[in-house]
Amino acid sequence: MNHAVARRVEELERLAPPLTAQPDLDSYWDEELKRYAAKPLNATRTLVETPMAFMEAYDVAYEGFDETPIRGWYLLPKFPRGEERKLPCVVLYHGYGGSRGYPEEYASYLLMGLAVFAIDVRGQAGETGNLMPQSYGMTRGWLTQGILDRDTCYYKAITVDALKALDWASEQPEIDAGRICAMGGSQGGGLAMIAAALSDKPAIAVPHIPNMCHMDFGILNSASSLTEAASFVERFPGHLEAVLHTLSYFDNMNLAHRIRIPVFVTVGLKDPVTMPETIYAAYNRIDGDKRIVPFPFTGHAVTGEMQRQALEFIASRLL
């Protein structure tokens, strides 16, 4: 079909911007993953009441990057299941400025027979704080905390927190550790994608409209959280190279070659936040079982149709 939408998709499918990866990207992450594998979770899970008669809900706290207690909802369907039947689990990461929300919001997953572990991203709008030290000024929001160094930056903290959430879920007695999905939208989609690249725990990943892709393009053009990094560089122009150097270690475009599990990605072609150029730049570099569904007239939103197709993908792979 020779029309504008088809031509736009074809253009995106051919997109291959230069990588911004540093020479030590893989060795850096290999060493960091070994180091954090040894860090204890120090987790607790506490049964809580909900109005949902067929939901078993736990308030969880665990440690990821540092000693900050990361809060999450661990939810199990309260349907009859044999002692030997373990459940698949969806580990969910929310969008920028959001939270884990309320247990009732995840009922659709439980109706499918899935367990859920939905976490707060540190310091945002949930019940999780942030004990990271801060040694330099920040612009608005959370993104620029520690941004001058890969080991002190906010992206490092939330990435490790996301990976340790998968570790915690895989250790629960009700969970089949071979049937875990990393899933999220926007910021959460970026975390799901980087988890697919760095963790051996998920069997599949569903990055909806993912952030953290082609971030050198995003800091220049996107209306996303990367505008905070742009504001930082506007204030401190001498730090541009340091900021881009840091971001490169958390850019899914650079890490896509490490993804070896099936992924289902969604993208809105009218999205000014997680721009299609950024998502395709990462997606096109995944060499494996992958599927991307473009929505030509969708902006920055995870629509009902996106979620319906994602749940079909999860069911086909995990149930």
Side-chain angles (χ1 to χ4, degrees):
M1 290 180 290
N2 185 25
H3 53 69
V5 172
R7 292 195 301 272
R8 174 67 166 142
V9 172
E10 289 174 2
E11 174 188 77
L12 291 165
E13 289 173 343
R14 294 192 299 268
L15 198 63
L19 296 177
T20 59
Q22 303 302 311
D24 68 343
L25 174 72
D26 284 312
S27 61
Y28 171 75
W29 275 115
D30 290 342
E31 290 302 313
E32 290 303 291
L33 294 174
K34 287 178 188 175
R35 184 161 73 89
Y36 280 100
K39 185 179 183 300
L41 290 162
N42 295 325
T44 61
R45 55 181 266 189
T46 305
L47 186 66
V48 297
E49 292 186 3
T50 78
M52 311 295 283
F54 295 99
M55 174 186 291
E56 189 175 319
Y58 296 87
D59 188 359
V60 173
Y62 72 94
E63 292 178 10
F65 174 73
D66 56 13
E67 286 67 51
T68 302
I70 308 297
R71 302 286 292 276
W73 293 124
Y74 177 52
L75 310 173
L76 301 169
K78 215 172 172 181
F79 306 127
R81 61 179 188 268
E83 290 298 319
E84 302 303 318
R85 181 172 177 264
K86 294 195 173 187
L87 296 168
C89 183
V90 178
V91 177
L92 286 163
Y93 312 112
H94 62 74
Y96 193 67
S99 74
R100 63 177 177 168
Y102 297 94
E104 295 78 11
E105 297 172 25
Y106 305 101
S108 60
Y109 297 94
L110 275 63
L111 286 171
M112 291 176 63
L114 301 164
V116 169
F117 186 39
I119 70 162
D120 274 343
V121 176
R122 65 170 60 222
Q124 295 188 19
E127 297 175 60
T128 295
N130 183 9
L131 299 179
M132 287 174 64
Q134 180 180 324
S135 60
Y136 203 88
M138 295 165 58
T139 53
R140 56 191 169 78
W142 305 278
L143 183 63
T144 58
Q145 184 176 15
I147 200 168
L148 296 179
D149 188 280
R150 64 188 181 182
D151 289 318
T152 64
C153 73
Y154 186 74
Y155 270 137
K156 173 75 171 285
I158 66 173
T159 295
V160 175
D161 292 343
L163 299 176
K164 297 296 272 188
L166 291 160
D167 291 348
W168 185 88
S170 72
E171 295 175 5
Q172 300 316 296
E174 302 89 355
I175 300 306
D176 179 347
R179 291 191 292 161
I180 292 176
C181 173
M183 183 176 186
S186 192
Q187 169 190 256
L191 292 173
M193 190 175 281
I194 203 169
L198 297 177
S199 175
D200 61 358
K201 298 303 188 297
I204 62 173
V206 178
H208 278 306
I209 56 171
N211 208 341
M212 300 169 65
C213 299
H214 195 3
M215 289 197 279
D216 61 322
F217 182 90
I219 194 175
L220 188 62
N221 296 287
S222 172
S224 75
S225 53
L226 284 171
T227 59
E228 296 174 15
S231 295
F232 182 91
V233 174
E234 182 181 25
R235 175 68 180 84
F236 304 108
H239 290 316
L240 173 61
E241 293 304 322
V243 167
L244 294 177
H245 182 272
T246 294
L247 294 177
S248 71
Y249 285 89
F250 308 94
D251 194 324
N252 283 307
M253 180 179 72
N254 296 333
L255 292 164
H257 68 282
R258 298 178 66 116
I259 296 176
R260 293 289 182 263
I261 60 173
V263 294
F264 177 88
V265 182
T266 59
V267 55
L269 298 191
K270 301 187 79 170
D271 189 345
V273 177
T274 53
M275 303 171 71
E277 291 87 352
T278 66
I279 295 172
Y280 273 92
Y283 176 84
N284 290 347
R285 291 188 178 272
I286 298 172
D287 184 18
D289 186 350
K290 62 181 182 179
R291 180 185 173 202
I292 190 167
V293 182
F295 289 78
F297 306 105
T298 298
H300 190 63
V302 178
T303 66
E305 180 60 20
M306 286 180 180
Q307 184 70 344
R308 185 193 68 78
Q309 293 192 34
L311 293 178
E312 286 184 348
F313 171 78
I314 292 171
S316 71
R317 302 292 179 142
L318 298 188
L319 296 178

